Amino acid sequence: WFESRIDAFEAAGGTPPPGDLAAFYWHFVKPVWPAFLALLVAGLLGSAIEVALFAFIGSLVDMMKSASRPEAFFAEHWRILVVMGFVALVLRPAVSVVHDLIKNQVIATTFTNRIRWQTHRYVLRQSLSFFQNDFAGRIASKIIQTGPALRESIVQLIDALWYAAVQFVGAAVLFGAADWRLMIPLFLWLAAYIVALWWFVPRIKSRSTAASEARSMLTGRIVDSYTNALTVKLFAHAEREETYAQAAFQEQMQTWQASLRLITGMELALYSLNGILIVGASALAISLWSQGSVSTGDIAVVIGLVMRIVTMSGWVMWTIAGIFENIGVVHEGMETIARPYSVFDKPDARPLAVSRGAIRFDNIRFDYCAGRRQDAGMGTAKGAGVAPPRRPGVIDGLSLDIRPGEKIGLVGRSGAGKSTLVNLLLRFYDLDHGRILIDGQDIAGVTQDSLRASIG
């Protein structure tokens, strides 16, 4: 039941993924937002229960210390003991299981594959030049990586948000209730912790983006070598391919090492801050206890929560670093996935209706360089905002009428445009000038699928 809450193969409604990072995230989260809201609520309840259990430990120590007779302890405090027993035995496991069901069964597999499916469907309909100007393995790697990275960054953010906020606020409240001075080392540590996050995390994101790009390029080069194995063997280019792949391995390793160096530095800073918090908070609590300002139970709560915060801080910092690492992967994938179509159906495009099969090329002009500029979003001269100077195209000013059933032979040297003419008829590329008509219908105004199905 939980695993069927999200439809992994629902179509995206024909809307292209946005090119802005926040909008790209919301594009995939919006249809399934109730699942993430439920995860948020479960995380809040789980964090609140953890803080309540630590508060109860302090109360328990004080109740035991103030008990008149040990043998009468259960009779005097059985109500609070039953309540906390219920919380520990029933409520905490139940909330934890619900949290894990939402995270693992509702979101993990179906949401991840939903992103992969929708991005695959969109990319599959890109123009031929989109695939010709990139590695197939690199494109596939981005499709596969983006889904889990997007999901994990959101789930990690929700978990880190509640655990960090609720447990720190809970600790501050409990410390302040015992003695306001106990809050001093906690807030000093928090300020230093935020500074460390502010310095390390953005750098981890940028290096993660570079590492993700290097990993995709490595995958692309390896898959390209395997895909073209026949050509490699025919021309005895195995050593050239090895050198080509080795350069990608080297770049990927260097970007990974740069990222790991930063992570080691972050851990060193975290260990130092946590050591200062443990010593400072514990020493202050014992000093206040020796002056009679706090109870033994307060010391138990302070030391217990400090150790919990120290453990949690490492997890939170790693989680936040993981969030930004995954954001870097999503950002790198988005640059390929969210690229707009260069060849697309017009809003009023209709299916091609072939009655006779007459083909007419009407004064057509086409240049591959113009097509590449169009794919890259560089349709105008840089800075000037005007069209670049006209150059002779691969095909320039060609007119040709082919009657139904007529056989035409195309003769010319390599690169003269023979295959290009057929690719233009299939509308793998759009013309720079002119029209191609089939039975009087301009192929730019019919659906691509109907055009290619008819020719196929």
Side-chain angles (χ1 to χ4, degrees):
W1 185 87
F2 282 97
E3 290 168 350
S4 61
R5 293 309 87 200
I6 294 177
D7 183 359
F9 299 102
E10 183 180 2
T15 306
D20 176 74
L21 186 62
F24 188 82
Y25 268 84
W26 184 239
H27 174 80
F28 294 104
V29 173
K30 183 180 179 181
V32 296
W33 66 266
F36 289 97
L37 179 62
L39 186 67
L40 201 66
V41 172
L44 170 62
L45 292 175
S47 302
I49 289 172
E50 293 289 332
V51 173
L53 286 173
F54 274 104
F56 173 69
I57 290 172
S59 301
L60 182 63
V61 171
D62 286 338
M63 285 189 298
M64 294 172 70
K65 186 179 178 182
S66 61
S68 56
R69 291 177 299 116
E71 58 271 18
F73 180 77
F74 284 102
E76 294 173 0
H77 302 288
W78 68 271
R79 290 182 179 83
I80 184 66
L81 293 173
V82 168
V83 170
M84 295 314 296
F86 173 80
V87 170
L89 284 172
V90 179
L91 191 58
R92 183 174 179 270
V95 170
S96 298
V97 167
V98 169
H99 176 273
D100 288 347
L101 280 170
I102 297 170
K103 183 171 74 172
N104 298 330
Q105 274 62 52
V106 176
I107 295 174
T109 55
T110 50
F111 181 65
T112 301
N113 281 310
R114 179 189 177 94
I115 297 170
R116 287 171 171 169
W117 170 246
Q118 292 183 354
T119 53
H120 166 69
R121 290 183 76 246
Y122 178 79
V123 169
L124 190 63
R125 287 163 174 77
Q126 280 284 7
S127 66
L128 185 62
S129 60
F130 173 89
F131 296 99
Q132 289 177 331
N133 294 332
D134 208 337
F135 290 119
R138 181 172 176 269
I139 298 171
S141 177
K142 292 186 178 185
I143 295 290
I144 298 299
Q145 288 179 172
T146 300
L150 194 151
R151 179 209 73 228
E152 199 62 22
S153 56
I154 298 174
V155 170
Q156 287 175 333
L157 178 63
I158 291 173
D159 284 347
L161 176 70
W162 282 128
Y163 273 92
V166 173
Q167 298 218 14
F168 185 85
V169 171
V173 169
L174 293 175
F175 284 17
D179 191 297
W180 68 270
R181 289 169 288 185
L182 289 171
M183 298 169 65
I184 295 174
L186 193 62
F187 281 101
L188 289 175
W189 173 86
L190 178 63
Y193 186 72
I194 291 173
V195 169
L197 287 177
W198 172 79
W199 195 90
F200 282 106
V201 167
R203 288 167 173 80
I204 289 176
K205 175 183 176 293
S206 62
R207 293 190 184 181
S208 171
T209 303
S212 177
E213 175 63 33
R215 186 167 58 247
S216 296
M217 181 60 71
L218 174 61
T219 304
R221 291 189 180 184
I222 291 174
V223 172
D224 188 56
S225 296
Y226 297 159
T227 305
N228 296 284
L230 176 62
T231 306
V232 173
K233 292 180 182 297
L234 283 173
F235 289 91
H237 277 174
E239 290 187 5
R240 176 186 288 185
E241 290 299 313
E242 287 175 7
T243 303
Y244 189 52
Q246 185 180 9
F249 272 107
Q250 184 71 26
E251 182 181 355
Q252 189 270 341
M253 185 173 67
Q254 288 174 348
T255 56
W256 192 11
Q257 288 171 336
S259 180
L260 290 177
R261 282 196 295 270
L262 199 62
I263 288 172
T264 301
M266 182 181 72
E267 288 183 331
L268 174 61
L270 181 63
Y271 293 148
S272 302
L273 288 176
N274 287 345
I276 293 171
L277 177 63
I278 292 171
V279 173
S282 301
L284 181 59
I286 293 170
S287 174
L288 292 173
W289 171 78
S290 66
Q291 299 169 18
S293 300
V294 299
S295 67
T296 308
D298 291 332
I299 290 181
V301 171
V302 168
I303 294 177
L305 273 174
V306 163
M307 297 306 296
R308 176 66 174 172
I309 289 171
V310 163
T311 303
M312 181 196 68
S313 67
W315 174 77
V316 168
M317 184 171 275
W318 264 107
T319 300
I320 292 176
I323 290 169
F324 278 86
E325 183 177 350
N326 283 315
I327 289 174
V329 173
V330 173
H331 187 269
E332 191 257 340
M334 179 190 71
E335 292 176 346
T336 295
I337 292 168
R339 198 177 302 172
Y341 292 151
S342 60
V343 178
F344 49 86
D345 292 340
K346 293 180 179 179
D348 59 347
R350 296 183 177 183
L352 176 67
V354 180
S355 57
R356 300 172 60 243
I359 300 172
R360 183 182 183 190
F361 294 87
D362 183 14
N363 193 26
I364 67 168
R365 181 181 179 277
F366 174 75
D367 179 22
Y368 281 107
C369 292
R372 281 197 291 273
R373 284 199 305 274
Q374 198 175 45
D375 270 351
M378 297 164 57
T380 58
K382 185 177 180 181
V386 296
R390 187 179 184 279
R391 309 184 322 160
V394 175
I395 297 174
D396 195 5
L398 172 69
S399 293
L400 172 65
D401 284 296
I402 306 174
R403 295 187 297 273
E406 184 178 12
K407 296 179 175 61
I408 296 290
L410 298 176
V411 182
R413 61 177 174 78
S414 178
K418 303 183 298 297
S419 300
T420 299
L421 199 64
V422 178
N423 288 337
L424 292 172
L425 178 62
L426 287 160
R427 205 185 165 212
F428 287 147
Y429 308 93
D430 276 333
L431 296 169
D432 298 331
H433 181 269
R435 299 181 304 165
I436 300 175
L437 307 172
I438 297 179
D439 286 341
Q441 302 161 85
D442 189 340
I443 66 169
V446 303
T447 62
Q448 296 175 68
D449 284 347
S450 67
L451 168 68
R452 291 163 193 161
S454 297
I455 294 172

